């Protein structure tokens, strides 16, 4: 019997449907001819907790650190034992195995660690599926490769998992115990991704708190030109008092010029008109959808993820949602007409959009070379019953369908005009935008565009009709919201200075993954490091204190970039991961040496009064989340796709009384992990 082990049930169903013959379902598997297809439920295994290596490590003590497992051990996840037993039974009957994890680093680890744990020693082939469309799966089944070709990818994923455990377990215990010495009761969780995300919010809040508004002044003129009227803005020269962005800092020069301008005659000194064509926005990845849904419907990142899971699993209306890709396979182009026709049936919003689509068009979104482990979110072609969808489900589904529909609309064509006038030997600038062909634009906005400039020709006269001086103030940065924080995590390179690090982060997936970003935000909220104030995400007192007490590098993204460089090298060249892990241990020793109760005490004191307190257990309405068993679990890990439910001590813990001797007792609080 040939056994195919898929990463998740949806992939297993697609593989079984692509096999020739009648299928027969059993508990946890599908059999077709001499092939049985089973599946994982995300990660079936997790890193063992510290006390699995030594019972003494169940107690949290500074003199136990660093904890360095040797050899490393995995253990079954509690909710995955049943499926693990199914795979164990099937392996005893198998003559060969096909590894059908996702074609990425984590997908390679997810299935192979199960085979190693269950001590499979027979042949293993590798099936690479990135499109659940039946012809694509049939093609992939005809192109099996030897799993030995992917051992470097496996070692890189295994190394990442171990490195995150070392980092999170050791630093969480160190700063929790140091916090207790400084008077803080409760776990202070530290992780390679979670903590830099918190650092983003803490630093943004600090910028806002330290911001001092500065007044500046603008002067406008309404001009009569040959074919109409327009408004232009004064461009003061460098001999006037300007800030670094060219804004006028004193009102006097603007007032003096405004007094001279009425009735003055000038000329159009320069005219620059440029036509442009803009293709439709690409179909959504999960993070891109979370950004747009947060802006349009004020949904949290987790609400969007949960809604997508419902549309995918319950209603069967969209493809796999936890995707980081914004492209579709070329084979989807032809069937898109029927899939979108079905998706738009009976909806007053989608129906007119469907009517305007031209399915002979082929956008750049259909590109096999750009498709990664998963393709962009798209409708499956199942006809929706909108009466069975919640308002949020319907809104999110429309967004997903709209972005795929937009691929069958022509480009937006515009004409950008910049005009500079000379009046009383001073420069005045006007600019406008004219829509020549709306293309896909009406699907995305119903707002009226600013009126375009009237027809202009260089050298034509212009007469001043009215003038005005406006007083304005510089504004502080906006606090993070779900949308802007997700976007910052996607584009984390913007927040670092080192050019080499910028390049690495630009080439990587940013902080976290599509599957974990919403969970990172929710974890920071649950642990009391962030709080929502209307739509804004603000760091709490303990969030500020933790970042300010940690070494600066722990709260920044540069470490993720350096890790990704090394892990990519392991995956691509097959280099030995031992030097990376040895270097991490040395780094950890230095970081652990920086744990200082005095610095923590000072940080806690400084945070009081300058940041909101975390919600208390008595007043918080947030419900505790259940542990997820999926590879993309959103609640537990911020450092990778892999999720974990263990605490920093390896156990779920309660509330600390705060009366035990600091440094020798095991603090009891909310679950922590190495993210």
């Amino acid at each position: 019997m040939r056994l195919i082990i898929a990463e998740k049930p949806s992939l297993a169903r697609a593989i079984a449907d692509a096999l020739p013959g009648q299928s027969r379902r059993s508990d946890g598997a599908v059999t077709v001819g001499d092939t049985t297809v089973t599946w994982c439920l995300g990660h079936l295994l997790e890193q063992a907790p510290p006390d699995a290596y030594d019972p003494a490590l169940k107690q949290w003590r500074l003199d136990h650190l660093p904890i360095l497992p040797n050899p490393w051990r995995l253990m079954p996840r509690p909710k995955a034992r049943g499926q693990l037993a199914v795979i164990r039974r099937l392996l005893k009957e198998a003559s060969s195995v096909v590894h059908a994890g996702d074609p990425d680093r984590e997908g390679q680890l997810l299935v192979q660690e199960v085979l190693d744990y269950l001590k499979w020693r027979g042949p293993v082939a590798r099936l690479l599926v990135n499109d659940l469309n039946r012809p694509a799966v049939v093609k992939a089944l005809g192109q099996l490769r030897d799993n030995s070709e992917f051992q470097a990818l496996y070692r890189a994923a295994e190394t990442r998992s171990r490195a995150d455990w070392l980092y999170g377990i050791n630093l969480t215990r160190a700063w929790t115990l140091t916090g207790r010495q400084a008077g803080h009761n409760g776990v202070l969780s530290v992780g390679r991704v979670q903590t830099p995300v918190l650092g983003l919010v803490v630093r943004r809040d600090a910028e806002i708190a330290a911001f001092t508004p500065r007044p500046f002044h603008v002067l406008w003129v309404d001009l009569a030109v040959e074919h109409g009227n327009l408004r232009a803005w004064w461009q003061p020269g460098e001999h006037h008092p300007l800030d670094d962005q060219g804004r006028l800092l004193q009102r006097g020069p603007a007032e003096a010029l405004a007094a001279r301008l009425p009735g003055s005659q000038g000329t159009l000194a320069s005219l620059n008109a440029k036509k442009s064509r803009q293709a439709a926005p690409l179909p959504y990845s999960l993070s891109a959808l979370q950004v747009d849904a947060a802006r349009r419907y004020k949904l949290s990142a987790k609400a969007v993820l949960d809604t997508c899971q419902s549309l995918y699993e319950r209603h069967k209306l969209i493809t796999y949602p936890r995707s980081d890709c914004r492209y579709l396979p070329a084979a989807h182009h032809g069937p898109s007409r029927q899939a979108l026709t079905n998706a738009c049936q009976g909806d007053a919003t989608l129906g007119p959009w469907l009517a305007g689509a031209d399915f002979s068009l082929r956008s750049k979104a259909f590109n096999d070379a750009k498709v990664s482990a998963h393709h962009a979110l798209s409708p499956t072609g199942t006809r929706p019953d909108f009466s069975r969808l919640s308002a949020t489900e319907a809104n999110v589904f429309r967004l997903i369908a709209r972005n795929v529909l937009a691929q069958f609309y022509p480009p937006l064509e515009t004409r950008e005009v910049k005009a500079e006038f000379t009046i009383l030997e001073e420069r005045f600038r006007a600019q406008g935008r004219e829509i020549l062909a709306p293309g896909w634009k009406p699907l995305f906005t119903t707002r009226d565009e600013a009126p375009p400039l009237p027809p202009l020709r260089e050298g034509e006269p212009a007469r001043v009709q009215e003038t005005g001086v406006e007083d304005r103030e510089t504004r502080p940065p906006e606090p993070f919201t779900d949308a802007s924080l997700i976007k910052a995590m996607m584009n984390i390179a913007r927040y670092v200075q080192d050019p080499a690090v910028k390049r690495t982060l630009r080439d990587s997936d940013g902080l976290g993954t599509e599957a974990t970003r919403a969970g990172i935000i929710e974890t920071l909220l649950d642990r009391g490091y962030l709080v929502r104030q209307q739509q804004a995400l603000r760091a709490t007192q303990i969030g500020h204190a933790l970042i300010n007490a940690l070494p600066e590098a722990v709260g920044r993204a540069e470490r993720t970039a350096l890790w990704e460089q090394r892990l990519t090298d392991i995956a691509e060249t097959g280099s030995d991961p031992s030097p990376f892990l040895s270097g991490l241990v040395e780094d950890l020793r230095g970081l652990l040496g920086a744990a200082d109760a005095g610095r923590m005490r000072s940080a806690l004191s400084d945070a009081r009064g300058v940041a909101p307190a975390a919600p208390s257990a008595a007043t918080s309405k947030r419900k505790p989340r259940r542990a997820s068993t999926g590879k993309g679990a959103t609640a537990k890990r911020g450092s990778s796709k892999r999720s974990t439910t263990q605490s920093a001590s390896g156990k779920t813990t309660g509330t600390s009384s705060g009366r035990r001797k600091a440094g020798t007792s095991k603090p009891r609080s909310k679950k922590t992990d190495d993210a």
Side-chain angles (χ1 to χ4, degrees):
M1 180 259 285
R2 179 176 69 163
L3 178 63
I4 300 178
I5 304 177
E7 178 164 327
K8 55 184 76 71
S10 56
L11 176 58
R13 289 193 295 269
I15 294 170
D17 290 345
L19 293 169
Q22 293 294 318
S23 64
R24 178 169 48 86
R25 296 184 178 275
S26 59
D27 183 27
V30 181
T31 299
V32 184
D34 64 349
T35 298
T36 295
V37 186
T38 188
W39 53 85
C40 298
L41 302 168
H43 278 278
L44 300 182
L45 304 170
E46 64 185 2
Q47 293 290 344
D51 56 275
Y53 298 97
D54 182 350
L57 295 177
K58 193 168 186 176
Q59 187 179 54
W60 291 29
R61 296 173 57 98
L62 287 171
D63 57 9
H64 286 161
L65 306 180
I67 299 170
L68 306 173
N70 186 23
W72 286 85
R73 292 173 56 184
L74 296 173
M75 61 187 296
R77 297 172 62 82
K79 294 187 177 181
R81 293 181 184 276
Q83 191 59 23
L84 191 64
V86 169
I87 297 175
R88 187 192 303 272
R89 172 177 55 81
L90 292 172
L91 282 174
K92 293 177 180 178
E93 305 170 12
S95 57
S96 65
V97 168
V98 177
H99 177 319
D102 281 354
D104 58 15
R105 193 169 72 194
E106 204 68 19
Q108 185 65 32
L109 173 68
L110 190 147
V111 174
Q112 189 166 334
E113 67 182 3
V114 171
L115 294 175
D116 290 351
Y117 181 80
L118 297 177
K119 296 181 170 53
W120 171 257
R121 298 293 180 262
V124 182
R126 186 66 165 97
L127 173 63
L128 301 171
V129 177
N130 54 24
D131 178 6
L132 299 190
N133 182 284
R134 188 176 187 277
V137 179
V138 171
K139 181 178 179 181
L141 284 165
Q143 298 175 337
L144 296 179
R145 296 167 65 179
D146 194 308
N147 190 57
S148 63
E149 298 176 36
F150 301 90
Q151 292 315 289
L153 199 64
Y154 169 69
R155 281 194 295 273
E158 181 184 60
T159 301
R160 192 278 312 148
S161 174
R162 293 175 175 179
D164 278 340
W165 190 98
L166 288 170
Y167 192 79
I169 292 291
N170 284 291
L171 295 189
T172 293
R173 289 195 172 198
W175 261 265
T176 296
L177 294 169
T178 302
R180 285 182 58 80
Q181 293 173 355
H184 173 74
N185 293 328
V187 172
L188 291 175
S189 177
V190 181
R192 176 176 62 97
V193 175
Q194 172 203 129
T195 307
V197 172
L198 176 60
L200 284 174
V201 182
V202 167
R203 288 188 291 275
R204 174 64 60 84
D205 285 354
E207 289 178 36
I208 294 170
F211 182 81
T212 301
R214 292 193 301 171
F216 67 97
H217 314 277
V218 296
L219 166 63
W220 52 263
V221 294
D222 284 342
L223 301 177
V225 292
E226 191 171 334
H227 295 288
N229 300 283
L230 57 84
R231 177 164 290 188
W233 302 84
W234 181 38
Q235 308 298 304
E238 294 181 357
H239 56 283
H240 293 295
L242 308 177
D243 66 9
D244 57 2
Q245 295 187 38
R247 293 176 295 209
L248 185 66
L249 298 178
Q250 295 179 6
R251 201 175 201 273
E255 289 180 329
L257 180 57
R260 298 164 51 209
L261 281 168
S264 297
Q265 187 85 12
T267 59
L268 177 52
S270 66
L271 181 66
N272 183 12
K274 180 181 179 182
K275 290 183 179 180
S276 63
R277 290 165 54 91
Q278 183 181 351
L282 291 167
Y284 284 119
S285 64
L286 175 60
S287 288
L289 176 62
Q290 286 168 322
V291 170
D292 275 7
R295 288 174 174 167
R296 182 176 287 259
Y297 299 117
K298 310 301 182 188
L299 296 175
S300 72
K302 184 176 185 298
V304 178
L305 175 57
D306 290 347
T307 300
C308 286
Q309 283 297 121
S310 177
L311 291 170
Y312 171 63
E313 294 177 350
R314 179 183 173 194
H315 300 291
K316 317 296 184 189
L317 290 177
I318 65 170
T319 56
Y320 181 70
R322 298 171 186 257
S323 175
D324 61 355
C325 179
R326 300 196 67 177
Y327 291 85
L328 295 166
H332 281 210
H333 183 264
S336 287
R337 178 197 289 267
Q338 188 59 54
L340 289 168
T341 299
N342 291 344
C344 299
Q345 288 289 324
D347 186 68
T349 300
L350 293 174
W353 292 350
L354 175 69
D358 180 355
F359 289 97
S360 68
L361 298 176
R362 189 183 190 92
S363 84
K364 64 179 181 180
F366 296 94
N367 187 340
D368 289 337
K370 297 279 190 177
V371 174
S372 54
H374 303 285
H375 57 68
L377 280 66
S378 63
T380 58
T382 300
R383 293 193 177 190
D385 181 352
F386 283 94
S387 68
R388 297 184 59 207
L389 300 183
S390 69
T392 297
E393 287 172 336
N395 286 335
V396 170
F397 178 71
R398 289 187 188 102
L399 288 179
I400 294 167
R402 177 200 67 181
N403 272 42
V404 179
L405 268 173
Q407 308 313 308
F408 299 97
Y409 273 72
L412 166 66
E413 298 183 29
T414 60
R415 181 172 177 264
E416 308 279 348
V417 178
K418 293 182 180 180
E420 190 166 289
F421 296 85
T422 301
I423 308 169
L424 299 182
E425 300 183 345
E426 296 287 346
R427 294 182 303 121
F428 293 82
R429 188 172 295 162
Q431 58 186 42
R433 183 170 182 258
E434 178 184 1
I435 293 181
L436 303 177
W440 50 267
K441 188 72 171 177
L443 277 64
F444 287 76
T445 181
T446 57
R447 292 178 301 179
D448 293 332
E449 293 280 338
L453 298 180
L456 297 169
R457 60 178 177 81
E458 198 166 303
E460 72 173 276
R463 177 174 293 279
V464 177
Q465 294 182 309
E466 290 189 47
T467 69
V469 177
E470 295 181 5
D471 300 326
R472 299 183 181 179
E473 272 192 343
T474 55
R475 299 177 61 184
E478 293 289 333
F480 278 114
T481 62
D482 278 71
S484 60
L485 188 54
I486 288 282
K487 193 168 184 179
M489 294 162 72
M490 294 167 63
N491 302 286
I492 193 62
R494 297 177 182 176
Y495 296 86
V496 301
Q497 301 300 320
D498 186 286
V501 174
K502 270 184 176 289
R503 282 194 299 273
T504 301
L505 287 170
R506 198 175 292 121
D507 293 341
S508 71
D509 291 332
L511 279 178
T513 67
E514 306 296 315
T516 62
R517 286 178 184 134
I520 291 167
I521 295 174
E522 294 300 313
T523 295
L524 291 170
L525 288 161
D526 283 352
R527 290 175 177 164
Y529 299 153
L530 297 182
V531 66
R532 277 200 177 94
Q533 295 181 340
Q534 296 179 326
Q535 299 300 318
L537 292 169
R538 308 302 291 259
T540 62
Q541 292 174 12
I542 191 58
H544 276 269
L546 178 58
I547 291 299
N548 292 328
L550 285 164
E552 184 178 6
V554 177
R556 293 190 175 272
E558 283 79 352
R559 187 179 306 274
T560 290
L562 297 174
W563 281 31
E564 284 301 324
Q565 283 179 334
R566 299 294 299 277
L567 293 171
T568 299
D569 182 60
I570 294 168
E572 293 181 351
T573 70
S575 61
D576 183 4
S578 299
F580 169 67
L581 290 174
S582 297
L584 171 59
V585 170
E586 289 306 307
D587 190 20
L588 275 175
R589 294 185 192 279
L591 293 173
L592 292 171
D596 179 74
R599 181 173 175 176
M600 175 63 76
R601 191 176 296 110
S602 176
L604 287 165
S605 177
D606 291 345
R608 294 188 184 101
V610 299
S616 67
T619 59
S620 176
K621 296 181 181 179
R622 299 177 63 80
K623 295 180 180 179
R625 295 190 311 277
R626 293 177 295 176
S628 170
T629 59
K631 164 180 152 185
T634 63
K636 299 298 172 190
R637 181 178 296 276
S639 56
S640 69
K641 291 180 183 176
R642 186 172 189 184
S643 63
T644 182
T645 56
Q646 72 190 36
S647 71
S649 65
K651 300 293 181 183
T652 303
T653 52
T655 305
S656 173
S657 66
R659 288 192 293 268
R660 295 187 179 122
K661 184 179 178 182
T664 61
S665 63
K666 176 186 174 185
R668 295 180 296 157
S669 184
K670 289 184 287 184
K671 287 192 242 182
T672 66
D673 59 26
D674 57 341

